[in-house]
Amino acid sequence: MGHLVTARQRLHATARLTFGNAASRIYLGLVLAVAVFVAVDTLFVSHDDASFAGVWLFFLAAPTVFVFLLGGSMAGADSGPAWFLYLSLVVSVLVQACALGWFSRLLRGPRGGRSAHPQGA
């Protein structure tokens, strides 16, 4: 039962790093806004040539998306299904949001820059 509690605590801590701070939320909001822009541009705007709107998602997901794509290429999924590309984008964005949360916590210190004692104590 102790392993379950430890795994739950680790999952909760990882979720806090990924979604529970301002830096990660701003990054994820920016990615969401660009994803909506790409979807609208792809589905509703006609172009004479191909649109490069999707490139912005790769810029936001770089460099980890290229690590996943390289790993997939080495595993034989180089021109593989579209789901692998989308999964690589989602996982790399989540990894980077977690890294931003970790870096933000590292800069603030373990208690978020707050003192361990209440004022006057």
Side-chain angles (χ1 to χ4, degrees):
M1 193 75 176
H3 295 292
L4 182 62
V5 172
T6 304
R8 185 176 294 162
Q9 288 172 343
R10 286 183 185 168
L11 184 62
H12 184 66
T14 303
R16 263 195 328 242
L17 285 176
T18 306
F19 303 106
N21 61 72
S24 295
R25 287 180 186 161
I26 290 170
Y27 172 70
L28 290 171
L30 182 63
V31 169
L32 181 64
V34 169
V36 167
F37 168 74
V38 169
V40 167
D41 185 64
T42 303
L43 296 173
F44 301 115
V45 178
S46 63
H47 300 281
D48 292 335
D49 292 329
S51 172
F52 286 102
V55 172
W56 290 104
L57 278 175
F58 282 94
F59 284 148
L60 289 174
T64 56
V65 71
F66 298 118
V67 172
F68 288 119
L69 293 177
L70 179 65
S73 175
M74 294 174 77
D78 41 333
S79 61
W83 65 264
F84 183 76
L85 177 68
Y86 297 134
L87 182 65
S88 297
L89 276 168
V90 169
V91 170
S92 64
V93 164
L94 291 175
V95 165
Q96 291 186 166
C98 184
L100 275 171
W102 177 79
F103 188 68
S104 174
R105 187 179 77 181
L106 183 70
L107 289 177
R108 283 192 325 259
R111 298 205 175 257
R114 292 182 225 143
S115 148
H117 301 288
Q119 287 185 0

